[in-house]
Amino acid sequence: MSSSNVRVRFAPSPTGFFHIGGARTALFNWLYARHTGGTFVLRIEDTDRERNTPEALQLLLDGLRWLGLDWDEGPEADGEYGPYFQSERGGLYDEYLQKLRDNGRAYDKDGAVYFKVSGEPQVIEDAVRSKVVRTEEKDFVIFRSNGTPVYHFVVVVDDITMGITHVIRGEDHLSNTSKHTELFSALGAPVPVFAHLPLILKTNGPGKMSKRDRGALVEEYEQRNFLPEAVRNYLCLLGWNPKDNTEIFSLDEMIERFDLPGINKDAARFDDKKLAHINGAYLRSLPLDDFVEKGKPFLEKAGLIDENTDRDYLRTVLDLCQEKLRSLDDLAGYVGYFFNDEYPIVEKARRKIFKKGDPVARLKELAVELAKLEEFEEEILEKTVQGLSEANELYTGDYIHAARLAVSGTNAGPSFYALLRVLGRERVLGRIERFISGCQDAEN
RNA sequence: GUCCCGUUCGUCUAGCUCGGUCCAGGACUCAGGGUUUUCAUCCCUGCAACAGGGGUUCAAAUCCCCUACGGGACGCCA
């Protein structure tokens, strides 16, 4: 199935959250596996933690799937190197502990088992930072006095027994790596290639992003209705760079271009604004049918459409508005008046437009002309407004602003003449009339 | 405190391997303008950086050293 012997893994511990930094690590591992034709393994580090609930695991798997990251081996996928839950691999840890006892590298003290370090400088071949040298000075615990193995021992045994060739993980593990290389060597196993990823810093303030920071969790982006492909695209740019200023990639391009040498060394700050920008770019470039499918639930939730809504009309409206949107969250607010005659008049817009000129007078003039038209097409509408403005020596904007306010309740929206066309003459005239009488009532 | 990693516009980054082509390029943000005088899109223009100090060199963002600052690790957590 795989065409290379590269084997990478993402090894999260289910804590009930899926951290965005973890997602980025998973993405880089996944991209590297796909890029090389290797294998992406998902291993669950679920040892001794009461937080390890089925829900916590599910959250992780859902998050990965939401981002489109599928694993070749792991929970719900099988594979020859299982089990993929650390909690089920106990026998292996005992077996490897015995090897260390046999070669004199493990000893008991205070009821715990210690690993005896070599004291030699450990040279870590890191694909991101080249050579890193660090000496592990002190023996460390590999089995607790309660008989359970400790993380550093467990990762190494798992990586050995799962045939992991490249360890791509966060930089917070860099200083631990000397422990790991000691262990690999003592167990007579080849040391994998490491690639330590720069950390993601919080949006403002010092330090790395932590669970409590806004925007730190993958599930937030799902809840905030970001497109997963946009989040994925943004994430791949955090700490990796294609070197030619490309910023938006298709998945295939991303896979083709991603590689270890393009990974940066310095920590990156998470930028919400840029994510929003990329999300907007994805949203606007969605094929219309996809956009309709993605948008529908939001309009339904807002009570704007139901199963009786005309599908062609829905398409026409969304086609008109898609090019202006930045996020799906904005959709219902942007198109409400297309589906509901009871739209609010935005006070700020109203004040702005009434401040200069006499919108009511303009609307009366316009209504007379619109009523005469045989066709309600964009060019004709445009000519009508232009003719009116020339005849009365006014700006076309005087008519446009007034009419947009009357017909949609706001001063922002899609192209004006298209807006009128889609709404149709009947509704446009009805809305203008209602608006005018509303203004006159207010005066009395 | 000890050890490890890092330091180019406010932010993400290109350039650093092989010093001159860089009075440092792109993107986000922001400001101004344009887009049938809507706008949240789109286009254009603009603001804005080589942390500091020493070297090496004809020449340094690029090589070396020091300092400062930022980050991380130092658990019988993972």
Side-chain angles (χ1 to χ4, degrees), chain A residues 26-46:
Chain A
L27 174 62
F28 280 25
N29 274 284
W30 182 86
L31 284 171
Y32 191 62
R34 295 294 170 263
H35 176 76
T36 55
T39 305
F40 177 55
V41 178
L42 178 61
R43 180 172 79 219
I44 305 298
E45 311 216 325
D46 60 345

Side-chain angles (χ1 to χ4, degrees), chain A residues 124-129 166-171 192-198 260 263:
Chain A
I124 300 155
E125 296 293 345
D126 192 286
V128 175
R129 287 148 223 285
H166 299 252
V167 173
I168 303 171
R169 54 168 30 162
E171 200 206 302
V193 173
F194 291 97
H196 285 96
L197 272 23
L260 268 18
I263 298 175

Side-chain angles (χ1 to χ4, degrees), chain A residues 30 56 71 76 196 264 271 284 291 296 309 347 400 403 411:
Chain A
W30 182 86
W71 50 99
E76 301 174 13
H196 285 96
N264 295 125
D271 186 357
R284 277 174 250 118
F291 182 63
K296 249 169 128 177
T309 304
E347 181 52 27
I400 293 172
N411 64 333

Side-chain angles (χ1 to χ4, degrees), chain A residues 60 87 98 117 160 229 262 323 343 401 423 433:
Chain A
L60 219 39
S87 57
Q98 193 53 49
V117 300
I160 291 172
E229 52 272 42
E323 61 172 357
Y343 50 93
H401 299 326
L423 247 19
E433 195 181 320

